Amino acid sequence: MDQILSLAATNLLSPIILCFVLGVLAALARSDLHFPEAVAKGMSIYLLFAIGFKGGVSVADHGIDLNLGLSLLAGIFLSALLPLIAFAILKALTSLSRLDAAAVAAHYGSISIVTFVAATSVLEASGITSEGYMVAVAAAMEAPAILSALWLISRGGDAEDGARRMDSALLREIMLNGSIVLLVGSFVIGGITGADGMARIESFIVNPFQGVLCLFLLDMGLVAGRGLREGGAVLRPGPLAFGVIMPLVGSSIGLVTALLLGVSTGGTALFMVLSASASYIAVPAAMRVALPEANPSIYLTLSLGVTFPFNLTLGIPLYVAIAQTFGGG
Amino acid sequence: MKTHQAKRVEITIEAVMQSRLTEALNKAGVTGYTILPVWGGSGRSGNWTRQGQVSRGQGMVQVICIIKPDRLDTLLEAAFAVVERHIGVVSVVDCEVLRAERF
């Protein structure tokens, strides 16, 4: 345990996590610090492209193996399963309506790509390698959770049929949302061009990466802090506890999955991070279309104001430390 | 200068519903509209602002249509089918336009 806490403390004091903390504190203190919308969008495009490309190059270097397919299937399965577990915990811990609980559950089955990017950065800084295809696993985990949440609603009987809420337009929007297209697209480009491609753009996507991530997480800290400040009032102790308990439950399931798959220590940490994180980009948009009656203040405050900061500050260091202790070779 | 009576319909709705709304308007034969970003506001669902939004799920837009009065019901029926379950405001005001043939 001492080793885990020591490793966690080391990771906690990285520039990216401290930048995030600065953003949260600035927002809570009502500072006027903010990033222009276009700058934040530009940074997120850069980070998604860089992480996708690097993942593709890594797969090109190491080749495609059976574990890639199995990991993708495991990711899809986890994304579909986690909302069911989250829903059961929510019903036990909170008095949320079936609709609100299903909407929250969808967020916890899907993933936060920013948390994933931050985790890969922490792994790199620690000299821990991970499977390049984890980028594809992250993309595969975005959507199944939404279908699980709609299934939960359709089981309710008194609510509208889940299938009717998921029309073809919504399915297309989910599957082709900008983050997925950019991540998968740059992953494929990295895979096709391999080391040669990396050599051509390395100075753009490798060296500035940490600095851009610091600024981006400073902005995300501001967003999370604002969300916590404004949405905190709507959350009772039950949902708040869920926001911390669920990532721990999810990461434990991710750990078991990774150990069964036999992935590397870095891959184990990333499976834990993906299972622990909650979406705040793709799923909220889908929920506004499919479940407009659900209260967005609850699911956004939980995923963005509680779980995201928890994962970035305490979760990632903890997951990496646990993966180093129990993880594969 | 001669002006003509028209109706100005302002629909403030979630950004994720924008394409669904404009598609419904197009199907109803309402092909002229203007879409504006909404900076922020306050309502039954609380305060919100575009600043720092990370998801289209949280943003709002305003769709403005100016039409001949006899087409108002068609527009409202098409719009209501889309916005009924969602956060937003639909308002109608009388206005005057210079070139009636354009509406």
Side-chain angles (χ1 to χ4, degrees):
Chain A
M1 180 54 85
D2 286 348
Q3 187 194 2
I4 291 175
L5 291 177
S6 168
L7 285 167
T10 305
N11 289 330
L12 192 57
L13 295 178
S14 69
I16 58 167
I17 290 177
L18 290 178
C19 279
F20 177 79
V21 172
L22 171 64
V24 172
L25 294 177
L28 291 177
R30 298 176 187 272
S31 163
D32 66 352
L33 176 62
H34 78 278
F35 285 69
E37 197 177 338
V39 172
K41 184 75 182 168
M43 287 193 294
S44 73
I45 288 172
Y46 168 81
L47 292 171
L48 286 172
F49 177 79
I51 201 82
F53 191 90
K54 283 192 271 189
V57 170
S58 173
V59 168
D61 283 349
H62 296 102
I64 296 173
D65 57 21
L66 179 65
N67 244 14
L68 189 156
L70 290 175
S71 296
L72 279 175
L73 288 175
I76 292 169
F77 175 73
L78 280 175
S79 178
L81 173 72
L82 287 170
L84 310 184
I85 295 169
F87 186 78
I89 296 175
L90 280 164
K91 294 310 277 181
L93 280 183
T94 73
S95 57
L96 292 181
S97 70
R98 186 178 189 85
L99 210 62
D100 283 330
V104 172
H107 290 71
Y108 284 79
S110 189
I111 58 116
S112 153
I113 199 67
V114 181
T115 312
F116 176 80
V117 172
T120 57
S121 178
V122 168
L123 288 175
E124 279 179 16
S126 307
I128 303 170
T129 56
S130 61
E131 288 78 1
Y133 58 71
M134 287 307 293
V135 172
V137 176
M141 288 182 73
E142 284 258 21
I146 298 167
L147 300 176
S148 288
L150 296 182
W151 178 74
L152 283 168
I153 291 300
S154 67
R155 276 183 68 234
D158 56 341
E160 260 185 85
D161 177 41
R164 194 155 71 83
R165 293 173 182 270
M166 174 62 84
D167 57 23
S168 59
L170 177 58
L171 193 60
R172 190 183 66 245
E173 283 171 23
I174 294 166
M175 301 306 292
L176 293 179
N177 87 63
S179 301
I180 293 182
V181 169
L182 187 56
L183 200 59
V184 174
S186 56
F187 176 78
V188 171
I189 294 170
I192 292 170
T193 58
D196 286 346
M198 175 59 96
R200 291 187 190 186
I201 61 171
E202 190 170 15
S203 58
F204 175 66
I205 66 164
V206 176
N207 296 336
F209 187 85
Q210 287 281 331
V212 175
L213 183 58
C214 280
L215 287 179
F216 186 69
L217 284 176
L218 175 59
D219 183 43
M220 289 304 298
L222 289 165
V223 173
R226 257 184 240 121
L228 196 57
R229 201 181 69 212
E230 291 166 7
V234 304
L235 287 186
R236 295 175 182 278
L240 270 176
F242 169 84
V244 175
I245 290 170
M246 188 57 209
L248 297 175
V249 172
S251 62
S252 303
I253 296 170
L255 172 65
V256 173
T257 307
L259 293 179
L260 288 174
L261 287 168
V263 295
S264 66
T265 299
T268 302
L270 290 179
F271 255 112
M272 293 178 75
V273 167
L274 289 174
S275 304
S277 68
S279 170
Y280 45 80
I281 297 177
V283 178
M287 288 299 106
R288 289 314 302 150
V289 175
L291 302 178
E293 303 90 344
N295 185 348
S297 300
I298 296 172
Y299 54 70
L300 276 174
T301 307
L302 269 177
S303 65
L304 191 55
V306 180
T307 300
F308 179 60
F310 171 78
N311 276 333
L312 267 192
T313 52
L314 300 174
I316 291 175
L318 191 64
Y319 308 146
V320 172
I322 291 173
Q324 283 180 288
T325 306
F326 297 104
Chain B
M1 187 172 282
K2 182 172 174 53
T3 58
H4 307 270
Q5 293 288 323
K7 295 285 184 182
R8 178 185 164 103
V9 182
E10 294 179 356
I11 306 168
T12 306
I13 190 168
E14 294 164 280
V16 288
M17 298 304 294
Q18 177 193 311
S19 61
R20 288 170 175 79
L21 175 62
T22 52
E23 196 175 314
L25 293 177
N26 285 328
K27 278 184 184 168
V30 181
T31 54
Y33 45 79
T34 303
I35 301 168
L36 303 175
V38 176
W39 180 248
S42 177
R44 286 172 60 191
S45 303
N47 297 319
W48 71 275
T49 167
R50 280 178 73 86
Q51 185 181 308
Q53 297 288 349
V54 290
S55 165
R56 280 186 78 238
Q58 299 148 269
M60 304 282 284
V61 296
Q62 192 170 63
V63 179
I64 299 171
C65 316
I66 296 176
I67 54 165
K68 289 176 181 168
D70 60 358
R71 297 178 63 202
L72 179 63
D73 284 345
T74 306
L75 186 158
L76 290 180
E77 279 169 20
F80 190 67
V82 178
V83 305
E84 183 185 3
R85 295 189 301 144
H86 291 265
I87 297 169
V89 177
V90 181
S91 65
V92 182
V93 293
D94 292 322
C95 67
E96 294 185 8
V97 295
L98 291 182
R99 296 172 292 185
E101 72 279 5
R102 294 194 170 220
F103 302 91

